Amino acid sequence: MTRRMMVAGNWKMNGSAAAVDRFAEEISTAVDGLAAQLLICPPAVYIERLGRQVSGVAVAVGAQNVAAEREPGAFTGETSGEMVVDAGATYAIVGHSERRALYGETDQVVATKANAAAAAGLVPIICVGETLEQREAGQAEAVLAAQLDALFDHADQDTLSIAVIAYEPIWAIGTGHSATPDQAQEIHAFIRSHIRDRNATMAESVQLLYGGSVKPDNAAALFAGADVDGALVGGASLKADSFLDIARAAG
Ligand code: 13P
């Protein structure tokens, strides 16, 4: 099966109204003819602003997180999947390692959030990845298998059938030290084969994104991996020119 490439930007807690406007203007004239699916996930308050400015442009807008709760209620500070859909989002990142490490999101919470996102009509981009310590101890595959198994145990079939999975080794995030193309391909192949044991159809169709220090100068080599279907880009997605260079490397 040929899977479409995707290049997604995760702005994390960066940006401003002026930065959104500049990015939208620079990207709008430059994406024609690019084959990859493009997505930007700005901070939630900018979803609507960015979406308005790229409407009619082949760039989707997504959220970086959604509440685990689906119904409105007394959840101060939370933003539901339905709310970000209202703002124009079509995707939501869930289970980013920063959410897991800094905000205590467990595998079960991540699966619940993925279900909530999918129920609201969003495509969940579910993040998995190992720490440096785990990799050095030879546990990378076991850690990823456990994260994926938890997903299969707690996420709905409807959620899994549309989900995108992002492999983001924690040691590569924001460090400038990307996984090598071989390391990324090896783990992506492992993830796909682990998924195949649980759901053969999903294994073939699911887009597996690599994330962690993806830059214009390493993107093409990473994308050459047969099981690498694109990237989830942090720092290099903040500027339109570097994001576009990565998008061009994806075809
Ligand atoms: P960097 O591309 O800045 O390493 O961030 C990766 C990431 O965490 C994307 O979600």
Side-chain angles (χ1 to χ4, degrees):
M1 136 152 344
T2 50
R3 291 173 296 271
R4 193 165 174 207
M5 296 292 280
M6 166 178 259
V7 176
N10 171 13
W11 282 11
K12 310 189 180 184
M13 200 174 81
N14 293 290
S16 61
V20 166
D21 296 353
R22 195 164 51 242
F23 188 94
E25 192 184 331
E26 287 172 12
I27 207 164
S28 293
T29 52
V31 297
D32 286 352
L34 291 181
Q37 271 175 285
L38 305 181
L39 167 69
I40 295 291
C41 300
V45 289
Y46 300 127
I47 290 172
E48 187 152 19
R49 188 178 187 107
L50 182 61
R52 223 181 311 116
Q53 296 185 52
V54 296
S55 72
V57 178
V59 178
V61 180
Q64 297 173 14
N65 178 37
V66 292
E69 295 77 17
R70 302 189 193 188
E71 299 302 323
F75 306 110
T76 300
E78 291 294 301
T79 305
S80 70
E82 282 188 7
M83 291 170 186
V84 299
V85 168
D86 264 353
T90 50
Y91 287 79
I93 299 169
V94 296
H96 191 280
S97 63
E98 288 149 19
R99 304 268 348 146
R100 292 176 188 257
L102 302 173
Y103 303 100
E105 293 190 6
T106 61
D107 285 333
Q108 187 149 359
V109 168
V110 173
T112 305
K113 288 190 168 196
N115 286 336
L122 297 157
V123 175
I125 300 178
I126 303 165
C127 302
V128 295
E130 81 285 2
T131 64
L132 183 61
E133 205 177 19
Q134 290 164 336
R135 172 162 282 258
E136 286 178 342
Q139 294 167 350
E141 292 191 354
V143 167
L144 291 162
Q147 290 173 342
L148 292 167
D149 287 342
L151 203 56
F152 276 97
D153 291 344
H154 299 293
D156 300 334
Q157 195 47 47
D158 287 352
T159 304
L160 294 169
S161 68
I162 58 166
V164 174
I165 308 274
Y167 168 56
E168 296 211 313
I170 294 166
W171 46 271
I173 295 176
T175 59
H177 299 294
S178 165
T180 65
D182 284 349
Q183 284 174 324
Q185 168 55 27
E186 189 184 339
I187 293 290
H188 281 226
F190 169 77
I191 291 173
R192 201 177 298 285
S193 85
H194 196 79
I195 293 173
R196 192 171 291 121
D197 294 342
R198 303 288 293 251
N199 183 330
T201 316
M202 178 185 174
E204 297 319 310
S205 60
V206 66
Q207 288 168 303
L208 300 182
L209 310 185
Y210 167 78
S213 297
V214 178
K215 309 282 178 217
D217 63 2
N218 62 15
L222 287 161
F223 294 157
D227 291 294
V228 178
D229 306 313
L232 182 54
V233 186
S237 73
L238 294 172
K239 292 233 165 65
D241 57 356
S242 47
F243 180 73
L244 283 163
D245 282 344
I246 295 167
R248 287 186 197 103

